Amino acid sequence: MSVTVRVPAKVNVQLAVGGARPDGFHELANVFLAVGLYDEVTATESTALEVVVEGRDADRVPADSSNLAARAATALAHRLGREPTVRLRLVKDIPVAGGMAGGSADAAGALLACDALWGAGLSRTELLGICAELGSDVPFSLVGGAALGRGRGERLTTLEVGGPLHWVFAVADGGLSTPEVYRECDRLRDASGQGAGVADVPEPQASPALLAALASGDAPALAGLLDNDLQPAALSLRPSLRRTLETGREAGALAGLVSGSGPTCAFLVADAEAGRTVAAALESSGHCRTARHTLSPAEGARLLTAPSR
Ligand code: C5P
């Protein structure tokens, strides 16, 4: 018996990062938007927990119990009082360690797939609770669309979202470590004299103007408001991303920013034709490995197949 789930990538149209909390996480106002790049997770009954990874950059993804998808299956199995006897096949299309929540997508996908495979029938609230334990971005991967994440990003409020919006993603060679990017953000704040603690940094707030532009699908308005507090840290760790951002803007993107903790750069473009132009310019520039044109919003984790024998 096996079940396949498709799960989208995300871009953060606003990532407001507050101070470092005593638990090491940062308080966020995180405006998530799901975009049409997808991983697929197939769960098949097996005698033990196995992970197989295929697709783009599969060799950079751990194919063992440390994989977040395997941890999702294990968490659900514990909840159900059973063994996680499942083979998880991950087919990657979301950039690996790219700031687009690919690992979180695989975890949300594995959770939904195992829930169906094992006939558990957990409620959405129960699934979201397990997602939040697995990682800050995992709940959003389950719900998709657009949402504001508070706390460390796991407390979601669904947002109205217009569209379609056209995006180009410039995929870099190699990834960036999310904890390292947050640490660099703290270091830059300390070095500027501001300080990096909760008392030093204003409480992060979502921009009402940005939420209005997102709700109406107004690409030019949204372009002027895209904002990522992790961008200076990502650029500090990977200065070559400046050239990537310049290349996309010069080729006609409405705006560009680092996606989440990077190093993928996201460009909002006016339409499909601009998407093709910007993607072609980025690919021929040599300032990224590949460029992908896609649309938002995208729906969250979804069963592609009913459980089948
Ligand atoms: O929640 P997740 O496991 O995805 O977080 C990975 C790392 O990113 C954390 O260990 C932490 O270093 C950093 N992080 C953070 N504040 C957040 C979310 C993540 O500092 N709100």
Side-chain angles (χ1 to χ4, degrees):
M1 180 132 118
S2 74
V3 180
T4 297
V5 171
R6 188 180 84 156
V7 202
K10 61 83 181 163
V11 62
N12 310 86
V13 291
Q14 185 189 1
L15 182 47
V17 179
R21 309 191 312 204
D23 67 1
F25 285 91
H26 295 70
E27 204 61 28
L28 302 182
N30 192 347
V31 183
F32 290 106
L33 177 64
V35 299
L37 301 180
Y38 300 93
D39 282 359
E40 280 185 17
V41 181
T42 299
T44 308
E45 277 176 358
S46 180
T47 51
L49 179 59
E50 297 169 75
V51 180
V52 180
V53 189
E54 295 169 19
R56 290 172 187 254
D57 288 328
D59 54 332
R60 288 174 45 215
V61 178
D64 59 29
S65 59
S66 71
N67 189 297
L68 202 54
R71 284 163 47 200
T74 304
L76 179 62
H78 283 169
R79 172 72 162 262
L80 302 174
R82 56 164 293 150
E83 291 300 316
T85 45
V86 64
R87 178 177 188 268
L88 296 171
R89 175 170 172 259
L90 313 179
V91 181
K92 301 289 307 171
D93 194 35
I94 303 174
V96 174
M100 298 191 73
S104 299
D106 299 344
L111 188 61
L112 197 61
C114 290
D115 179 73
L117 183 72
W118 295 334
L122 260 58
S123 69
R124 176 124 302 212
T125 308
E126 290 171 312
L127 292 173
L128 284 171
I130 299 176
C131 287
E133 287 166 21
L134 292 165
S136 308
D137 290 350
V138 183
F140 179 73
S141 296
L142 190 73
V143 301
L148 172 62
R150 303 304 311 249
R152 58 186 170 87
E154 86 287 14
R155 289 203 328 258
L156 297 180
T157 313
T158 301
L159 293 174
E160 258 187 86
V161 57
L165 295 171
H166 290 261
W167 296 89
V168 175
F169 293 95
V171 181
D173 275 320
L176 275 175
S177 146
T178 303
E180 263 177 50
V181 175
Y182 275 100
R183 270 198 298 277
E184 181 67 3
C185 175
D186 292 346
R187 193 189 67 75
L188 292 173
R189 285 174 169 173
D190 273 331
S192 75
Q194 176 191 16
V198 176
D200 307 312
V201 183
E203 194 187 327
Q205 299 288 352
S207 151
L210 177 131
L211 297 185
L214 189 63
S216 59
D218 183 340
L222 185 62
L225 297 162
L226 295 174
D227 194 19
N228 178 3
D229 283 353
L230 290 181
Q231 180 161 310
L235 293 178
S236 168
L237 294 171
R238 191 74 71 85
S240 62
L241 295 180
R242 287 182 200 283
R243 278 302 300 148
T244 313
L245 291 172
E246 277 165 26
T247 302
R249 290 177 191 140
E250 283 164 13
L254 299 171
L257 85 172
V258 170
S259 178
S261 56
T264 305
C265 291
F267 298 93
L268 184 57
V269 295
D271 51 28
E273 195 186 332
R276 281 189 289 275
T277 307
V278 170
L282 284 161
E283 288 208 328
S284 62
S285 71
H287 293 303
C288 67
R289 185 163 49 127
T290 174
R292 314 278 309 275
H293 170 220
T294 189
L295 298 177
S296 69
E299 63 181 349
R302 181 166 77 85
L303 289 183
L304 287 187
T305 54
S308 65
R309 289 200 178 270

